[in-house]
Amino acid sequence: MDFELSDEQREFQQAARAFAEGELAPHAAHWDAESIFPVETIARAGELGFCGLYTPERWGGLGLSRQDAAIVFEELAAGCTSTTAYITIHNMVTWMLSRWGQQALCDEWVPALASGRKLGSYCLTEPQAGSDAASLRTRARKDGDFYVIDGAKAFISGAGQTDMLVVMARTGGDGAAGISAFAVPANLPGISYGKKEEKMGWNSQPTRIINFDQVKVPAAHLLGEEGEGFAIAMKGLDGGRINIAVCSVGTAQAALTRAQAYMQERKQFGRELAQFQALQFKLADMLTELVAARQMVRLAAWKLDQQSPDASSYCAMAKRFATDAGFNVCNEALQLHGGYGYIREYPLERHVRDTRVHQILEGTNEIMRLIIARAILKDGATENLR
């Protein structure tokens, strides 16, 4: 494997870093404090291709690899974790339509989504179906040229301010085999939105319950075939886990960079903090964990690009490790700032709040351990993971 970035990857990295420094970082604290969803800024990100990174070029995407996308998302997350996390979800929705949608649906929706002119939400979780996603209750029944959807989805990012919903609903019997996926325009009659949740972090994107009451969706909006919805959802989540993991890496890098600078500025007992060996060791451990997380994420992205049979296991390992490590680095950076890290004049408390949810969503880290354990316990699986 070549650990050096290509010239093209460095160009994408620099473009994303410039956007993060110019368009995200200066406003992140304000968006967080006022719970502002910066749709205009997201549209400007779309103009640079950041809303359709791995969507095919035929529909206006950049057609990049997941490894390339991870490099871009890392830089964006250093500017605003919450906004970047939404952009990663939007990328997943856009890609899912382009991958499983019918031609007419893709022609109508994917270019607008890839450009950021329209936005998408991913709707899998329900009030009674979180980690056990295969038990979801939202139902879609066929009625002539339509499917009629009834049910509710919970914790939906962007809900109420997005244009397209990718909805998993039950068209058959119990379990994963009875689930199908649908592209549902967000303004259809029968769709209603709950109150905007007040959250610990991720405040620059709205989170709401979505209710579906006799919502009629054209049959041509079925993604893939009936019964393929759970498999489609899991394929989306493999990439989603890499994306959330790399958001943790990018945020941790921003926190580490600030902690490094602070240690060279702040003096106690007549010396810079950087001269205390105990704090040097802490910084060294933070950097080591961060580099390990970054490389694990890039390896998982490479596995996904290669369509490796063990890609899901690597995505789970990367998500588990990088989100834990990223949160720990942010938390240690706050500790190094002392009382200053706890006030909102500094971004450390926001980094800690925003990265904490990464250990929960796209499958909790406990579920990641379950996926990894199942891979270990299969005959010969440990050989494949070496």
Side-chain angles (χ1 to χ4, degrees), residues 120-272:
S121 292
Y122 178 75
C123 305
L124 175 63
T125 301
E126 297 184 3
Q128 303 300 323
S131 295
D132 184 13
S135 68
L136 65 83
R137 299 177 183 177
T138 296
R139 183 163 293 278
R141 60 178 176 82
K142 189 74 177 295
D143 183 10
D145 293 332
F146 293 87
Y147 283 89
V148 180
I149 300 179
D150 288 282
K153 297 294 179 178
F155 304 122
I156 306 304
S157 291
Q161 292 184 254
T162 52
D163 306 285
M164 170 57 70
L165 313 173
V166 170
V167 179
M168 307 303 159
R170 189 166 301 284
T171 53
D174 294 340
I179 296 171
S180 300
F182 299 89
V184 182
N187 61 352
L188 288 182
I191 297 177
S192 62
Y193 298 91
K195 68 177 180 63
K196 185 162 68 172
E197 304 288 358
E198 295 184 10
K199 307 189 298 289
M200 175 180 174
W202 270 29
N203 290 319
S204 75
Q205 51 170 293
T207 302
R208 292 183 172 91
I209 284 179
I210 306 179
N211 296 297
F212 300 87
D213 182 11
Q214 297 285 294
V215 177
K216 295 183 68 174
V217 181
H221 283 218
L222 176 70
L223 300 179
E225 302 293 334
E226 276 198 15
E228 291 184 347
F230 191 79
I232 290 171
M234 294 303 105
K235 288 182 182 298
L237 285 179
D238 277 344
R241 286 163 184 162
I242 293 172
N243 293 344
I244 290 303
V246 82
C247 283
S248 290
V249 171
T251 309
Q253 180 65 68
L256 178 62
T257 299
R258 185 167 288 269
Q260 175 191 11
Y262 184 78
M263 284 178 61
Q264 293 172 323
E265 297 167 359
R266 176 73 165 166
K267 291 184 177 181
Q268 290 288 277
F269 306 102
R271 291 190 292 168
E272 293 177 353

Side-chain angles (χ1 to χ4, degrees), residues 286-337:
M286 292 161 67
L287 178 59
T288 301
E289 293 290 307
L290 176 58
V291 171
R294 177 181 291 119
Q295 297 308 325
M296 182 170 279
V297 169
R298 291 182 182 178
L299 172 60
W302 181 84
K303 286 278 188 177
L304 198 57
D305 287 329
Q306 300 302 311
Q307 299 182 12
S308 174
D310 55 4
S312 292
S313 297
Y314 276 88
C315 291
M317 287 189 286
K319 195 270 181 181
R320 202 292 299 165
F321 184 80
T323 57
D324 283 348
F327 175 78
N328 290 337
V329 168
C330 292
N331 197 38
E332 292 287 11
L334 186 155
Q335 185 73 16
L336 285 170
H337 280 71

Side-chain angles (χ1 to χ4, degrees), residues 39 42-47 51 59-60 90 107-120 161-163:
V39 292
I42 295 170
R44 288 195 291 275
E47 292 172 3
C51 289
W59 284 302
H90 173 82
D107 288 342
E108 179 182 359
W109 280 95
V110 177
L113 292 167
S115 69
R117 299 193 309 275
K118 292 186 181 296
L119 301 177
Q161 292 184 254
T162 52
D163 306 285

Side-chain angles (χ1 to χ4, degrees), residues 10-82:
R10 291 198 181 278
E11 289 177 4
F12 284 122
Q13 184 184 55
Q14 291 300 321
R17 184 175 301 171
F19 187 84
E21 292 175 350
E23 299 279 355
L24 298 180
H27 310 290
H30 176 62
W31 295 337
D32 173 69
E34 302 296 329
S35 295
I36 295 171
F37 189 38
V39 292
E40 296 85 2
T41 303
I42 295 170
R44 288 195 291 275
E47 292 172 3
L48 295 175
F50 298 155
C51 289
L53 286 169
Y54 42 89
T55 296
E57 293 180 83
R58 64 183 292 195
W59 284 302
L62 293 183
L64 300 182
S65 68
R66 298 306 178 97
Q67 202 169 32
D68 295 337
I71 292 165
V72 170
F73 290 142
E74 179 180 339
E75 296 298 329
L76 295 179
C80 181
T81 313
S82 173

